[in-house]
Amino acid sequence: MNDVSNLFSLEGKVALVTGAAYGIGFAIATALAEAGARIAFNCRSREHMDKALAEYGKLGIEAKGYLCDVTDEKQVTDMVSDINADLGVIDILVNNAGIIKRIPMTEMSAEDFRQVIDIDLNAPFIVSKAVIPGMIAKGHGKIINICSMMSELGRETVSAYASAKGGLKMLTRNIASEYGAYNIQCNGIGPGYIATPQTAPLREKQPDGSRHPFDSFIIAKTPAARWGEPGDLMGPAVFLASDASNFVNGHILYVDGGILAYIGKQP
Ligand code: NAP
Ligand code: GCO
């Protein structure tokens, strides 16, 4: 049996966190580094990468950054080979990179819909496919897919995002089913509403200084009565990346301040 104090250690592990230049990915990569892992991350913009490297540096984290669009299979396989050479074979993958387009469905172009599916669903398939053979060879692996409230719920304007995140929940269960026998655990984290650049438009102050109506709506719908912070995902990510979760597979851990448990304020 494992000593409980070592169960959460990631010493000696190599982790790739996609889209970890800022926001949730940055917090998760920071947590994995603090638990002992060597960190690789990617994003699409050189400017974002340089800023992120400076931010990781300030925290004393030697993260390695790669310019890579996760929808491009060749760029992804090249990045994974580079990480294998630079840091070692990947033990932990966090499929975090993602976008949202908030457009009423009947006004949304098929091209916009496809772009969201491409980044939020096809890319986790592409990146997972690129790392799983190395995990099989190593005899273990952890894949964490960043899902959403929208893996379970619908709402106006997010048809593409909800379709992608619902699909990502099922990709998570399928990877767990297909590769569990190789000692690979694939789980999801379903964050509630987290204050990051992605959700900034939903929190913008009104011209009179009052809260955005969506901001008030989320606070009323969340039993914790607040937005989440990226730091709220740090503990759950370390748990799902570590030996502490070795018999947890195909699970979506909702980290939502209780949103999914709550029907909403009674009249
Ligand atoms: P964010 O602040 O917009 O950050 C997204 C990150 O993904 C950035 O680093 C971005 O960097 C990168 N990225 C986007 N498209 C990419 C691509 N094609 N290739 C490589 N990198 C790409 O988002 P966030 O709020 O931190 O969200 C992170 C994840 O959590 C997403 O999957 C999101 O859907 C999910 N999520 C967010 C919330 C929330 O409330 N914020 C809740 C539930 C789930 P570049 O622009 O430089 O490429
Ligand atoms: C939205 C989207 C996201 C959410 C998140 C909830 O409603 O705009 O659902 O931006 O923040 O995915 O889990």
Side-chain angles (χ1 to χ4, degrees), residues 100 102 147-150 155 158 161 165 190-194 198-199 202 214 227:
I100 190 165
R102 301 182 184 96
C147 299
S148 164
M149 295 290 86
M150 271 58 217
R155 87 168 177 84
V158 296
Y161 187 80
K165 294 295 187 178
Y193 281 79
I194 312 293
Q198 190 194 77
T199 53
L202 307 175
F214 197 94
W227 283 72

Side-chain angles (χ1 to χ4, degrees), residues 198-221:
Q198 190 194 77
T199 53
L202 307 175
R203 283 175 286 106
E204 259 170 25
K205 285 261 185 293
Q206 299 296 88
D208 67 0
S210 62
R211 282 182 183 278
H212 192 294
F214 197 94
D215 183 352
S216 308
F217 160 68
I218 288 304
I219 289 177
K221 182 71 183 82

Side-chain angles (χ1 to χ4, degrees), residues 12-257:
K13 305 285 188 198
V14 176
L16 165 61
V17 185
T18 68
Y22 49 87
I24 289 172
F26 184 86
I28 289 178
T30 299
L32 302 187
E34 286 176 3
R38 275 166 293 163
I39 302 297
F41 74 97
N42 71 295
C43 61
R44 293 165 299 181
S45 133
R46 159 74 52 192
E47 190 197 334
H48 293 166
M49 192 167 87
D50 289 344
K51 267 197 199 153
L53 287 171
E55 293 300 319
Y56 284 117
K58 278 188 212 158
L59 298 172
I61 296 168
E62 276 182 47
K64 194 121 180 73
Y66 299 84
L67 277 180
C68 168
D69 183 327
V70 284
T71 63
D72 183 318
E73 193 160 14
K74 167 87 171 66
Q75 287 185 30
V76 168
T77 51
D78 286 351
M79 172 176 70
V80 169
S81 305
D82 288 347
I83 296 170
N84 288 348
D86 296 342
L87 299 177
V89 175
I90 295 165
D91 304 280
I92 301 160
L93 164 66
V94 183
N95 281 309
N96 166 80
I99 62 160
I100 190 165
K101 289 180 189 253
R102 301 182 184 96
I103 306 170
M105 182 173 152
T106 53
E107 292 164 29
M108 189 170 207
S109 67
E111 195 187 334
D112 276 338
F113 190 94
R114 274 194 206 102
Q115 196 197 353
V116 175
I117 301 287
D118 213 22
I119 297 178
D120 292 1
L121 179 58
N122 292 341
F125 161 77
I126 289 171
V127 186
S128 301
K129 184 183 154 193
V131 304
I132 285 170
M135 291 176 169
I136 291 175
K138 259 189 157 174
H140 64 253
K142 297 277 185 183
I143 299 177
I144 303 172
N145 291 327
I146 305 303
C147 299
S148 164
M149 295 290 86
M150 271 58 217
S151 299
E152 300 294 339
L153 302 171
R155 87 168 177 84
E156 299 83 349
T157 75
V158 296
S159 58
Y161 187 80
S163 304
K165 294 295 187 178
L168 187 57
K169 173 179 70 177
M170 286 314 301
L171 179 64
T172 302
R173 291 180 180 163
N174 214 84
I175 294 172
S177 305
E178 202 163 347
Y179 296 103
Y182 295 92
N183 193 22
I184 293 174
Q185 291 83 47
C186 179
N187 293 289
I189 291 178
Y193 281 79
I194 312 293
T196 68
Q198 190 194 77
T199 53
L202 307 175
R203 283 175 286 106
E204 259 170 25
K205 285 261 185 293
Q206 299 296 88
D208 67 0
S210 62
R211 282 182 183 278
H212 192 294
F214 197 94
D215 183 352
S216 308
F217 160 68
I218 288 304
I219 289 177
K221 182 71 183 82
T222 308
R226 66 171 176 87
W227 283 72
E229 296 295 332
D232 288 316
L233 284 326
M234 292 172 91
V238 170
F239 168 61
L240 290 178
S242 69
D243 286 345
S245 59
N246 280 352
F247 203 52
V248 180
N249 212 355
H251 184 79
I252 311 297
L253 175 52
Y254 289 99
V255 184
D256 64 353

